[in-house]
Amino acid sequence: MEKVSTNNLTNQMCAGDPAHDIWKRQRHPLDCIFHPRSVAVIGASEREGSVGRTLLWNLIRSPFGGTVFPVNPQRHSVLGIKSYPDIASVPEVVDLVVIATPAATVPQVIRECVAVGVKGAIIVSAGFKEIGEAGAALEQQVLAEARRGGMRIIGPNCLGVMNPLAGLNATFAGAIARAGNVAFISQSGALCTSILDWSLGDNVGFSAFVSIGSMLDVGWGDLIEYFGDDPHTHSIVLYMESIGDARAFLSAAREVAMDKPIIVLKVGHTEAAAKAAASHTGALTGSDEVLNAAFRRCGVLRVHTISDLFDMAEILAKQPRPKGNRLSIVTNAGGPGAIATDALISDGGELSVLAPETLQQLDQFLPSQWSHHNPIDILGDASSDRYAKTLEVMVNDPNSDGLLVILTPQAMTNPTQTAEKLKAYSQLGKPVLTSWMGGAEIAAGTQILNQANIPTYPYPDTAVRLFNYMWRYTYNLRGIYETPSLPVDSDQYAPDRLLAEQILAPAISSDRSLLTEYESKQLLAAYGIPTVPTEIATSDLEAVEIADRFGYPVVLKLHSEIITHKTDVGGVRLNLEDAAAVTRAFTAIASKVRAINPQAFLGVTVQPMVKIEGYELILGSSLDPQFGAVMLFGMGGQLVEIFQDRALALPPLNTTLARRMMEQTRIYQALQGVRGRKAIDLAKLEQLLVNFSQLIVEQPQVREIDINPLMVSPDGMIALDARVVLHNADITERPIPAIRPYPSKYVQPWESLKGDRLTIRPIRPEDEPLMVQFHQGLSEESVYLRYAHMVKLKQRIAHERLTRICFIDYDREMILVADHKNMQTAEHEILAVARLSKLHGTNEAEFALIVSDRYQHQGLGTELLRRLIEIGKEEKLSAIVGYILGSNHAMQSICRKLGFQLHLDQEEGMLKAIFVT
């Protein structure tokens, strides 16, 4: 039977292990930095106040279970410890070096470390790219030396690294952080020391405390991935000044965010990208807005203050996420309730509307003067019992997503007793936040609530701000993993790539930077975006002939390969009612444009005057220097830059992400139908956005696109005007998409031994329902051979599990499905699944596959594994591994036939199959 079981494999070894052997289990490369067995301090010093002395002293006064070696050619000992003249003289193989020598010496130091097998380095030295070109060149020398030996580097220009749980303090800070479950990573060393000092006073603990400096090598993506795998880390907190490798960050964050909150404080932003853009879309796209779109796309929560950074880490650890934005407020004073309400609504939250049954229950025990609406004012004489009963009722209110309990110290209210009563409500399935307002009188109650995992804050607007962060976090995560819809006839939306190539090739070959409006509309039509019928006329007679054929009224627009915005030069004439009007319009456009630039006028385009009672939208794309192509959607028309109602997103999109993009705009409410107007076909608009995103990622020679206006109404939608800007032919390096698009090149037909025609293709988010059907048809034997133990059907088809399989990052793994289409019913069925998952910290991947019982012994398993091998080669993997049960003889045979080596793994009790690519 053609199946293989999968286990996880750990990663690359540190120095001190035997020579790299693919058959052996391995450590993660960053273990050499965070769990070293030996550390050398290069630049260790006796001089008071020096970095070298502080580093060495911190390492020896906080035992981490390893050996410390000072390296200083000028001294025989440092701080009473034997010193060595260079790294080669150290008697043991060193896992980690901490370098505190002048920047100019660092390339040579790294070269010497690589020569003796050191695998990890922390460079605290300054004087690199922060000083200019000379420093940047020095960094590249350091990186080149490190890459020769597979060394990983933190820094340069950083404070260092702490692992409080292990006792490692490889920094020059004044003390080691307390142990806890938050990984804190910062680009600012100075902020690190400030946070450290604050955390010691407030008893906040960390699983790791990392200053990453210039991110020459190890970046955000590496660390998010590493701490995502760390069982001691429950949340990841980032202070970010620059994003570095955007694609690596998004890839790692998206994988980890569903399991652990990633909270970022990003400072600094630039408008350089917007200023450089020539189109409306570019002018509307600021890099900080793009960053927000990127964070939404990967499930990262962005906050704006240091206090929010750690408050959110705490609150997400203590309380469940709300399912929506509706908050119920319970208070014993009207003023604080009003403050909380303002804070909630002004930032997008909503007051929950009390359900009729909730009102009825509250009326049974609350005084008649209570507010009878939300905020629920239970009056100034509220006792602890009144608070508890109210909370018990509100917990079950179906309209509420979260609760805020406000207490002001009044003569009849006991803050401590009330806290004791409320601590029983710490885990209710919806978040409970409190605001105990006051000073010494409420201190004991605050402590009781915090110890019961109920976060409490001195001011209600603070609690509300954090609730708003919480529901947005839920909203973003749901958008990532909510199963999108697939069109009934998906073939209808397949792009005409040949037509697109025929449109773009002549423009590129003639080194043009702008498509004509006619060409632009043809390109949109190739991707299923409706456009108004358009024809080119080079004379007034030809324009009249076309207008007569279309029927009046018509529109004439300038046809030019040079001029960007036609309206600015009088190049648009609307509502032309007859031939005479067409002739006059042609003459006027021609004369005006020729006066500006004789070569700019190539004729006009003639179009029917489309009269649609609907809404003008804008749909566009431009390039961001960090994230590549960025999509824009919003209110369109001539005043698009005045209204500024827009949303940004990173392509490619699916229907769920398209809907999320629309929901961020004010025009979305109108599109749903207002004031007696019918709603537009939102599902159709979603699909149009999906098609547009596909155009962007599949045509990298396109730099910018504007569709303005895109007219939409209940009767349909149509692009009335379009503009496409191309890259200059001499620009060879173009920003790659921040998110890898669907790998269409791996879609190929295949015919089984009995003649069935299948399509083997990468999995898509829309495949979740088909995956449910696939698992429902598997036998217990097939399941056992795949997973090496029994996994119940309910577990295998759980939405949370299948979304992780269907919503993959194609940079991290490739899942192929064998798709069979029933030609009579047009329904699709998945017959087999094959998976190739990269192993963290290595250039290897693990494979697994399973074939439907009724389709085994048809050669499908062999074909899938063969294709995984080809993908592994294409993706430049060094090896592919897998684990097979000893009883799975068919799978063993397939592996041997395809060139795998098989070896008994004693620890796993299974056969390990390895293919070296």
Side-chain angles (χ1 to χ4, degrees):
M1 296 177 190
E2 300 166 294
K3 306 150 215 141
V4 62
S5 168
T6 298
N7 286 345
N8 288 328
L9 194 68
T10 53
N11 305 308
Q12 183 179 332
M13 302 178 200
C14 292
D17 287 330
H20 179 63
D21 180 351
I22 202 167
W23 294 106
K24 299 182 185 296
R25 299 187 66 83
Q26 306 159 325
R27 295 179 73 197
H28 192 288
L30 296 188
D31 283 342
C32 302
I33 295 173
F34 293 100
H35 296 277
R37 289 161 296 198
S38 53
V39 181
V41 179
I42 300 179
S45 171
E46 287 270 10
R47 182 165 53 86
E48 285 285 347
S50 68
V51 172
R53 179 190 174 97
T54 307
L55 284 166
L56 182 61
W57 176 246
N58 282 346
L59 283 164
I60 61 178
R61 76 167 174 169
S62 177
F64 61 92
T67 311
V68 182
F69 300 99
V71 175
N72 186 329
Q74 309 299 323
R75 302 186 64 89
H76 295 293
S77 67
V78 180
L79 298 181
I81 306 172
K82 177 178 171 56
S83 179
Y84 298 88
D86 52 44
I87 191 69
S89 303
V90 175
E92 296 181 20
V93 178
V94 172
D95 278 348
L96 173 66
V97 293
V98 186
I99 301 172
T101 62
T105 67
V106 174
Q108 178 62 30
V109 169
I110 294 293
R111 184 180 304 118
E112 293 171 0
C113 291
V114 166
V116 295
V118 178
K119 292 296 183 184
I122 299 171
I123 304 174
V124 302
S125 312
F128 290 91
K129 69 180 179 183
E130 71 273 12
I131 68 168
E133 291 184 10
L138 205 58
E139 278 193 359
Q140 292 309 306
Q141 293 177 39
V142 170
L143 187 60
E145 295 294 343
R147 293 234 165 113
R148 288 192 305 109
M151 174 190 280
R152 302 308 309 268
I153 295 174
I154 298 278
N157 192 17
C158 69
L159 181 72
V161 164
M162 295 182 194
N163 180 349
L165 296 169
L168 175 71
N169 183 6
T171 75
F172 56 91
I176 188 169
R178 296 182 188 276
N181 54 30
V182 176
F184 176 63
I185 310 166
S186 171
Q187 278 183 293
S188 167
L191 183 69
C192 280
T193 56
S194 301
I195 295 294
L196 178 62
D197 189 50
W198 161 80
S199 69
L200 294 171
D202 277 32
N203 202 30
V204 174
F206 299 91
S207 57
F209 200 86
V210 186
S211 165
I212 55 173
S214 300
M215 298 193 301
L216 173 62
D217 175 37
V218 174
W220 300 114
D222 298 297
L223 293 170
I224 289 170
E225 181 182 273
Y226 184 78
F227 293 117
D229 289 338
D230 176 25
H232 303 294
T233 296
H234 296 173
S235 57
I236 301 170
V237 170
L238 313 177
Y239 171 82
M240 179 184 289
E241 294 174 352
S242 63
I243 198 163
D245 186 338
R247 193 164 184 170
F249 170 82
L250 292 174
S251 178
R254 186 176 176 277
E255 181 177 270
V256 172
M258 278 298 285
D259 297 316
K260 300 179 182 181
I262 302 171
I263 307 158
V264 59
L265 173 60
K266 169 67 174 69
V267 296
H269 56 85
T270 174
E271 301 301 325
K275 292 176 182 176
S279 68
H280 289 303
T281 302
L284 290 166
T285 304
S287 60
D288 204 52
E289 289 183 87
V290 177
L291 194 65
N292 284 333
F295 288 154
R296 285 193 300 270
R297 181 64 183 267
C298 63
V300 166
L301 175 63
R302 185 180 189 180
V303 298
H304 300 285
T305 67
I306 294 174
S307 61
D308 287 348
L309 198 65
F310 290 97
D311 282 343
M312 286 309 301
E314 176 192 25
I315 203 170
L316 290 171
K318 289 181 175 180
Q319 290 290 312
R321 297 194 305 268
K323 294 180 180 178
N325 67 343
R326 302 168 302 175
L327 182 66
S328 299
I329 301 171
V330 178
T331 179
N332 69 341
I339 291 170
T341 300
D342 283 346
L344 177 71
I345 294 173
S346 64
D347 199 25
E350 293 181 12
L351 278 176
S352 65
V353 177
L354 301 181
E357 60 269 27
T358 300
L359 281 166
Q360 186 177 6
Q361 292 175 55
L362 293 174
D363 276 336
Q364 291 175 5
F365 62 87
L366 288 180
S368 59
Q369 299 93 337
W370 81 277
S371 61
H372 292 85
H373 59 74
N374 189 14
I376 304 154
D377 187 347
I378 60 176
L379 307 181
D381 63 347
S383 65
S384 57
D385 284 336
R386 190 184 296 173
Y387 265 104
K389 287 180 180 178
T390 303
L391 192 59
E392 187 173 348
V393 171
M394 291 309 303
V395 162
N396 298 311
D397 189 297
N399 297 338
S400 175
D401 299 310
L403 297 167
L404 169 61
V405 182
I406 302 172
L407 180 144
T408 60
Q410 300 189 35
M412 292 73 72
T413 301
N414 187 320
T416 305
Q417 198 174 70
T418 303
E420 282 286 353
K421 291 275 188 180
L422 296 193
K423 71 180 186 180
Y425 298 92
S426 61
Q427 296 297 324
L428 301 173
K430 61 179 69 173
V432 177
L433 287 72
T434 61
S435 176
W436 255 226
M437 302 178 68
E441 192 175 345
I442 55 90
T446 297
Q447 186 175 3
I448 290 167
L449 291 168
N450 282 328
Q451 288 176 347
N453 284 337
I454 298 178
T456 184
Y457 304 96
Y459 307 112
D461 50 338
T462 301
V464 166
R465 184 174 71 249
L466 298 176
F467 173 78
N468 281 333
Y469 276 133
M470 291 178 80
W471 69 256
R472 281 200 178 87
Y473 180 55
T474 300
Y475 176 83
N476 292 343
L477 288 179
R478 190 181 296 143
I480 298 172
Y481 290 105
E482 187 176 297
T483 305
S485 60
L486 190 65
V488 176
D489 184 5
S490 56
D491 295 337
Q492 172 189 347
Y493 295 98
D496 188 340
R497 296 184 178 91
L498 179 59
L499 175 59
E501 184 181 350
Q502 292 171 348
I503 297 163
L504 291 168
I508 294 169
S509 63
S510 58
D511 199 19
R512 284 164 46 199
S513 62
L514 189 71
L515 292 186
T516 66
E517 181 195 2
Y518 178 74
E519 292 168 329
S520 298
K521 288 179 176 177
Q522 281 189 309
L523 181 63
L524 295 181
Y527 278 83
I529 299 170
T531 61
V532 64
T534 302
E535 293 188 25
I536 299 170
T538 57
S539 69
D540 56 350
L541 293 176
E542 192 176 2
V544 169
E545 186 273 322
I546 296 169
D548 287 342
R549 185 154 29 90
F550 279 155
Y552 294 94
V554 296
V555 176
L556 262 60
K557 296 183 182 180
L558 169 65
H559 177 56
S560 175
E561 296 176 353
I562 299 173
I563 291 179
T564 302
H565 296 296
K566 297 178 285 295
T567 305
D568 296 346
V569 295
V572 178
R573 299 300 168 105
L574 306 174
N575 208 30
L576 305 175
E577 297 284 357
D578 52 34
V582 169
T583 301
R584 288 194 300 272
F586 184 96
T587 303
I589 293 173
S591 60
K592 190 160 187 178
V593 173
R594 283 170 177 156
I596 298 170
N597 184 344
Q599 296 180 336
F601 183 78
L602 300 178
V604 299
T605 59
V606 185
Q607 308 164 29
M609 182 73 190
V610 178
K611 294 183 178 179
I612 299 177
E613 286 294 325
Y615 303 97
E616 291 186 328
L617 304 178
I618 182 172
L619 182 59
S621 75
S622 63
L623 280 183
D624 180 85
Q626 291 181 309
F627 293 96
V630 179
M631 281 182 63
L632 178 141
F633 169 87
M635 185 186 297
Q638 292 186 351
L639 300 180
V640 60
E641 287 156 330
I642 303 300
F643 289 114
Q644 296 274 310
D645 178 26
R646 78 293 181 99
L648 305 182
L650 300 181
L653 302 184
N654 55 42
T655 54
T656 296
L657 294 170
R659 178 68 67 99
R660 286 287 191 269
M661 189 180 187
M662 292 189 286
E663 287 173 352
Q664 293 169 49
T665 62
R666 297 189 298 276
I667 191 66
Y668 177 71
Q669 187 175 356
L671 300 179
Q672 293 175 288
V674 291
R675 295 184 177 180
R677 290 191 178 191
K678 293 181 180 178
I680 70 157
D681 188 339
L682 290 173
K684 190 172 181 180
L685 184 56
E686 286 172 13
Q687 189 59 50
L688 190 150
L689 265 63
V690 171
N691 294 357
F692 183 75
S693 76
Q694 192 174 4
L695 188 166
I696 295 168
V697 297
E698 289 188 354
Q699 305 298 340
Q701 57 271 62
V702 172
R703 183 162 64 91
E704 295 178 11
I705 304 180
D706 273 343
I707 304 175
N708 185 26
L710 172 68
M711 288 298 301
V712 298
S713 76
D715 300 321
M717 48 198 69
I718 191 165
L720 297 184
D721 201 1
R723 177 176 167 278
V724 177
V725 181
L726 305 177
H727 285 284
N728 293 332
D730 57 348
I731 297 178
T732 55
E733 290 190 14
R734 299 165 186 166
I736 63 172
I739 298 169
R740 183 172 177 175
Y742 185 78
S744 301
K745 64 181 179 180
Y746 297 137
V747 179
Q748 295 176 347
W750 182 75
E751 189 171 314
S752 72
L753 295 177
K754 61 180 184 180
D756 290 337
R757 295 183 177 180
L758 312 178
T759 299
I760 296 178
R761 59 170 176 82
I763 202 164
R764 300 177 301 213
E766 295 86 353
D767 286 327
E768 184 180 347
L770 296 180
M771 287 295 290
V772 170
Q773 296 172 16
F774 172 72
H775 277 280
Q776 288 171 337
L778 294 174
S779 68
E780 289 187 357
E781 182 187 13
S782 293
V783 172
Y784 176 75
L785 290 174
R786 164 61 180 85
Y787 299 102
H789 62 279
M790 285 308 302
V791 183
K792 293 181 179 179
L793 176 63
K794 186 177 180 180
Q795 292 174 272
R796 287 186 279 119
I797 65 173
H799 172 69
E800 292 76 11
R801 177 180 180 272
L802 288 183
T803 53
R804 294 172 186 270
I805 293 173
C806 298
F807 290 72
I808 62 170
D809 179 341
Y810 300 111
D811 269 336
R812 289 182 168 264
E813 61 183 328
M814 198 66 65
I815 297 180
L816 298 179
V817 296
D819 184 348
H820 177 252
K821 181 178 180 181
N822 187 314
M823 301 310 295
Q824 293 180 329
T825 64
E827 293 182 350
H828 289 259
E829 177 185 17
I830 289 176
L831 299 176
V833 182
R835 186 171 190 168
L836 190 64
S837 303
K838 289 184 180 177
L839 299 169
H840 290 175
T842 74
N843 192 35
E844 300 166 13
E846 186 172 342
F847 80 91
L849 65 90
I850 184 167
V851 178
S852 172
D853 288 71
R854 63 186 178 83
Y855 229 83
Q856 293 168 14
H857 309 297
Q858 296 294 316
L860 183 53
T862 302
E863 179 63 18
L864 284 168
L865 187 52
R866 185 190 67 78
R867 293 200 185 185
L868 289 185
I869 292 171
E870 292 304 312
I871 289 171
K873 292 177 180 178
E874 178 80 14
E875 302 291 323
K876 296 181 170 52
L877 297 174
S878 60
I880 297 172
V881 302
Y883 290 92
I884 310 173
L885 287 171
S887 58
N888 196 345
H889 301 294
M891 191 66 241
Q892 295 169 33
S893 175
I894 291 171
C895 286
R896 289 192 177 96
K897 180 169 66 175
L898 293 175
F900 282 79
Q901 300 176 52
L902 272 64
H903 171 82
L904 180 62
D905 187 305
Q906 298 287 354
E907 187 173 341
E908 295 290 343
M910 303 173 73
L911 290 172
K912 183 175 181 180
I914 294 181
F915 185 94
V916 179
T917 59

